[in-house]
Amino acid sequence: MRHRERHRLHHSGWLRAAVLGANDGIISTASLMMGIVAAKAEPSAIVLTGVAGLVAGAMSMAAGEYVSVRSQADTEAADLAREIHELENDVAGEHRELEEIYVARGLERNLAHEVAKQLMEHDALGAHARDELGITDINSARPLQAALTSAATFATGAFIPLLVVLLHPVEYLSFAIVSVSLLALVLLGGLAAKVGGANMWLGAARVGFWGAAAMALTAAAGHLFGVVL
C-alpha cells in the first residue's frame, strides 16, 4: 500500500521563506511609510517610499535567501561528493560506518549489519546521505525556490500597506496603515502557526507585537527627525 501519511515538516522549506517574506514585506513597508507620514511628507513622497521599499525589499530578500540557501546547497554537494569518493574507495569502511549508526540508534549488531548491507545494495549514497549526513528530499536546500518564494511573498506583503496609501484619504493615513497592517500581520501569524502545527493565537500575537513595535519606532523617528521643506 502507498504511504499516505503527510507530516507538517513537508511544508518547512517553502513555509519559512513564504512567512518570512510576507511578514517582512508588511512590516518594513508599513514602517517606512509610517516614518514618512510622521515626518509630514507629501502623499506622493509616501507612495514613492512604499514603491521603492517594495522593489528594494523584494530584491534584497531574493538575493539574501539565494545566497544563504546556495551556501547550504554547496555544503551538501561537497559532503555528497566526499561520500561518493569514499564509497568508491572504501566500501567496507562505509558499510561499517553505517552499521555503527544503526547500532547507536538501538539496533542489535547483527540486525544493524544486515540493514546496512541491504540499504547499501539498494542505494548506498542515499543511505549515507540520509542517515550519516541528514540530507533528505524534505530538507535539502533549494536556492532558487527560496529566492523566488521570498521575493514574491515580500512583494505581496508590501503591497498591502501600499494599497492603503493609494486608496485612503491622507487625513487618517497613519491609523489606516497601522490598523490594516496589524490585521494582516495577525492573520499571517495565525495562518503560519496553523500550517506549522503551532498555537494560532500565540503565533498571531507574536507577529503582531513585533509589527506594532517596528511601526511605532519608525513613526517616532520620522516625527523626531522629519523636515518639511
Side-chain angles (χ1 to χ4, degrees):
M1 294 180 62
R2 180 176 296 178
H3 181 68
R4 297 181 181 275
E5 184 177 353
R6 293 185 60 82
H7 297 282
R8 298 182 188 275
L9 185 62
H10 295 166
H11 303 301
S12 61
W14 66 264
L15 179 61
R16 184 191 69 85
V19 170
L20 178 62
N23 182 73
D24 198 20
I26 297 170
I27 292 178
S28 61
T29 306
S31 298
L32 278 171
M33 292 191 295
M34 281 297 297
I36 301 300
V37 171
K40 309 298 182 182
E42 294 294 324
S44 59
I46 301 171
V47 173
L48 178 60
T49 299
V51 172
L54 186 155
V55 175
M59 293 306 299
S60 176
M61 288 291 293
E65 280 291 314
Y66 185 84
V67 171
S68 175
V69 182
R70 181 72 260 176
S71 297
Q72 179 187 342
D74 290 342
T75 301
E76 291 178 357
D79 283 341
L80 289 174
R82 179 179 179 181
E83 285 301 317
I84 291 173
H85 175 77
E86 291 175 349
L87 285 168
E88 290 175 346
N89 293 276
D90 187 14
V91 176
E94 290 300 291
H95 180 277
R96 287 193 300 272
E97 188 175 37
L98 204 59
E99 179 183 324
E100 292 300 329
I101 291 173
Y102 298 143
V103 169
R105 292 180 180 177
L107 295 185
E108 296 179 354
R109 173 70 61 180
N110 291 338
L111 179 58
H113 178 87
E114 186 62 26
V115 169
K117 176 183 176 182
Q118 292 191 27
L119 286 178
M120 288 189 65
E121 289 175 351
H122 174 70
D123 181 8
L125 181 60
H128 280 273
R130 180 183 60 253
D131 295 321
E132 181 182 351
L133 303 177
I135 300 174
T136 66
D137 289 338
I138 295 175
N139 61 15
S140 61
R142 296 179 175 86
L144 188 59
Q145 180 191 65
L148 293 176
T149 300
S150 294
T153 52
F154 182 98
T156 302
F159 187 71
I160 294 173
L162 180 58
L163 188 63
V164 173
V165 174
L166 292 172
L167 299 179
H168 202 276
V170 70
E171 290 82 6
Y172 306 103
L173 200 52
S174 295
F175 176 78
I177 293 174
V178 171
S179 57
V180 173
S181 298
L182 282 179
L183 177 61
L185 286 170
V186 166
L187 291 175
L188 174 65
L191 178 61
K194 181 178 180 180
V195 173
N199 185 288
M200 288 181 58
W201 298 107
L202 181 59
R206 186 165 46 213
V207 176
F209 170 79
W210 288 110
M215 284 184 277
L217 289 173
T218 312
H223 179 73
L224 290 173
F225 301 104
V227 177
V228 179
L229 300 178

